[in-house]
Amino acid sequence: MELKGCLVLAALLLPAALAFPIQDDYENSTTTTEPTEVTTQENIYESPSPTETDEEDEDIFNKILKVNKDSSQFLQEGDIVPRRSRSAINCRQCNWPQSSDGIVRIPYELDPAYEESHVKGIHDAMAEFEALTCINFVKRKAERDYLSIRSADGCWSNYGRVGGGQTVSVMKGGCMWKGVIQHELEHALGFLHEHSRSDRDKHVKIMWEYISPPDRPDFKKFENSNNLDLPYDYSSVMHYGPYTFSNTTGKATIVPIPDRSVHIGQRQGMSNLDVAKINKLYNCSRCSTILDGPSGSLRSANYPRNYSDNTNCVWLIRTRSRKVSLHFQAFQLQITKGCQGDYVKVYDGSSKSSPVLMDKTCGSKIPNGIVASSNLMLVEFTTDGAQTASGFQATFTAVRTQRRSSIHN
Ligand SMILES: [Zn+2]
């Protein structure tokens, strides 16, 4: 009863303002019964690009559950720490505060037990938030509320801001995947699992017969979820995989409808809609797009008509397993000295702190093709208040990565 009361209290604590608040009849959840093989504990930073035959089906949530199977932390829905101490009356404070400059700065501390590669991995996962949203993770100075990112026993987090130092567990062994880190950070931002949305039954069918009774609360639907007027997202980094909590080998617990072949669950990182949802929940004025197909195109707004003044847009290109290759087909930007006015700039990675592949470029000469050193490339397009032009158009493809052993630099 004590546990139950605690859960009900926890369930009452999220406001409609959160993305997917918990409903108030939450039942006892259990530890996972995931009956799967032992995972190999890979580290994304030692092998930043999965090979083409890599575990595409090994979605984020599978990884999380495997690791959390041995966790002593009590968890709901597989990886969420129940809230224990917050007034249910008013949870406006569950979101992290926004500064007057529009940036939401979230202080964090890192576990000293992390090695350099882990720190880099966590920073890389955070950098995408900074590039694509107004969320900035900043090293804690003396702030009262902060994230304590620790290598505890599993991959888990609270919903939203709890107050004081709150743990986000990113265990060294099994959670060091960009998508997993981003998943847990998104919980801390106030996001629940995508399949918990009030409208989920229009998009997925929950196969209750393959879910053991103790696990069924993990599939609860939150009738009051704030869906932010954005579409259901099968490819969300917050979506369970198809076999999550299945009690029967080979039987899916979540089936997309009407097209059951739609892929759900992934571990590449935030989806375009994940980013849009963060930007909406936190009132970020950001122009950002994730392009995660094997190939595709991008162009300045209105192209081939003139682009607008005073804009700043970024495209994160994230192909699978290969290097991103970018080719411009058209390029027509206002010319200024040093391209300080309107410009395109390209980074070798997923953030503006990544190395620069093509520095600020303007004018009408079509730039040469660019190849990134990995499957990530960030393209930035900035315009000032003077003059416009038709802008640019480019295509990207994934080019084959050389074998690691043949790379000498
Ligand atoms: Zn989760």
Side-chain angles (χ1 to χ4, degrees):
M1 186 56 207
E2 187 184 334
L3 179 62
K4 171 91 175 179
C6 188
L7 285 173
V8 170
L9 176 65
L12 291 170
L13 302 180
L14 279 187
L18 282 188
F20 311 122
I22 308 173
Q23 65 184 34
D24 58 7
D25 58 344
Y26 214 90
E27 294 170 20
N28 284 2
S29 124
T30 64
T31 53
T32 161
T33 54
E34 183 78 352
T36 37
E37 77 281 7
V38 175
T39 182
T40 48
Q41 305 211 320
E42 297 172 67
N43 181 316
I44 45 172
Y45 310 107
E46 287 159 10
S47 52
S49 306
T51 65
E52 284 172 70
T53 55
D54 196 27
E55 318 154 12
E56 182 150 350
D57 296 331
E58 177 74 304
D59 57 79
I60 287 173
F61 214 76
N62 252 353
K63 288 197 173 297
I64 291 173
L65 288 182
K66 283 179 185 176
V67 172
N68 289 358
K69 199 165 47 172
D70 301 322
S71 179
S72 59
Q73 174 72 44
F74 177 73
L75 299 168
Q76 289 174 296
E77 292 184 59
D79 70 331
I80 298 165
V81 182
R83 280 177 182 265
R84 292 174 195 281
S85 58
R86 179 175 282 283
S87 161
I89 310 296
N90 182 340
C91 203
R92 279 181 304 179
Q93 303 301 316
C94 295
N95 281 5
W96 295 82
Q98 194 156 28
S99 303
S100 54
D101 61 2
I103 304 295
V104 176
R105 292 182 179 80
I106 303 183
Y108 70 91
E109 289 183 354
L110 286 186
D111 194 329
Y114 286 131
E115 290 151 33
E116 203 181 319
S117 64
H118 306 131
V119 172
K120 181 183 184 309
I122 292 168
H123 284 164
D124 285 351
M126 290 175 163
E128 290 192 5
F129 286 90
E130 189 168 332
L132 302 167
T133 75
C134 63
I135 304 292
N136 281 16
F137 295 96
V138 296
K139 286 211 171 66
R140 179 187 181 224
K141 295 195 179 79
E143 293 90 344
R144 189 195 61 176
D145 298 342
Y146 64 98
L147 303 180
S148 171
I149 302 176
R150 298 196 295 121
S151 180
D153 57 344
C155 329
W156 44 261
S157 175
N158 283 92
Y159 285 123
R161 183 164 62 123
V162 176
Q166 67 185 77
T167 300
V168 176
S169 177
V170 179
M171 197 171 86
K172 287 197 283 186
C175 312
M176 281 289 163
W177 297 81
K178 183 164 68 184
V180 173
I181 299 166
Q182 290 179 341
H183 179 108
E184 302 307 339
L185 290 173
E186 278 212 38
H187 280 318
L189 291 176
F191 287 89
L192 295 182
H193 294 130
E194 186 71 1
H195 74 277
S196 305
R197 282 170 59 125
S198 58
D199 61 351
R200 66 109 181 270
D201 292 332
K202 293 184 197 147
H203 306 281
V204 292
K205 183 165 170 33
I206 305 299
M207 308 300 287
W208 296 105
E209 61 268 47
Y210 301 123
I211 304 166
S212 300
D215 293 330
R216 288 180 188 163
D218 296 327
F219 290 82
K220 283 240 176 198
K221 181 172 68 177
F222 300 130
E223 298 290 357
N224 297 322
S225 68
N226 175 0
N227 301 331
L228 297 160
D229 289 325
L230 286 166
Y232 191 88
D233 183 13
Y234 293 108
S235 64
S236 171
V237 81
M238 305 308 287
H239 206 300
Y240 275 9
Y243 301 101
T244 300
F245 292 114
S246 178
N247 61 14
T248 308
T249 305
K251 295 295 184 185
T253 52
I254 303 183
V255 175
I257 50 175
D259 179 2
R260 59 182 298 136
S261 70
V262 171
H263 191 76
I264 60 173
Q266 46 96 356
R267 63 171 172 79
Q268 303 299 308
M270 289 188 288
S271 71
N272 218 15
L273 273 168
D274 286 328
V275 168
K277 286 167 187 172
I278 294 169
N279 283 335
K280 198 149 185 186
L281 181 63
Y282 279 95
N283 295 312
C284 306
S285 55
R286 278 289 189 283
C287 167
S288 53
T289 306
I290 295 177
L291 299 166
D292 56 3
S295 63
S297 64
L298 57 153
R299 59 183 67 83
S300 49
N302 309 326
Y303 183 86
R305 290 183 292 119
N306 284 3
Y307 53 78
S308 304
D309 285 332
N310 299 313
T311 62
N312 178 263
C313 290
V314 296
W315 293 261
L316 173 62
I317 304 173
R318 186 178 64 211
T319 57
R320 258 182 195 283
S321 72
R322 296 179 174 195
K323 297 180 179 183
V324 180
S325 173
L326 185 72
H327 287 272
F328 289 94
Q329 276 88 47
F331 201 88
Q332 193 70 250
L333 270 62
Q334 170 207 13
I335 300 179
T336 51
K337 189 159 185 278
C339 296
Q340 295 302 311
D342 303 345
Y343 63 84
V344 172
K345 188 171 177 180
V346 181
Y347 301 86
D348 191 11
S350 59
S351 80
K352 291 181 189 173
S353 53
S354 303
V356 175
L357 277 172
M358 185 182 92
D359 209 346
K360 291 178 180 176
T361 302
C362 56
S364 54
K365 181 173 179 291
I366 293 183
N368 292 333
I370 303 166
V371 180
S373 63
S374 76
N375 65 327
L376 295 165
M377 178 187 279
L378 189 75
V379 179
E380 178 189 9
F381 177 49
T382 297
T383 68
D384 66 5
Q387 290 189 26
T388 75
S390 60
F392 73 94
Q393 179 176 327
T395 58
F396 68 89
T397 54
V399 295
R400 192 167 291 280
T401 309
Q402 283 179 290
R403 297 182 75 84
R404 190 166 290 268
S405 59
S406 66
I407 297 171
H408 298 293
N409 48 357

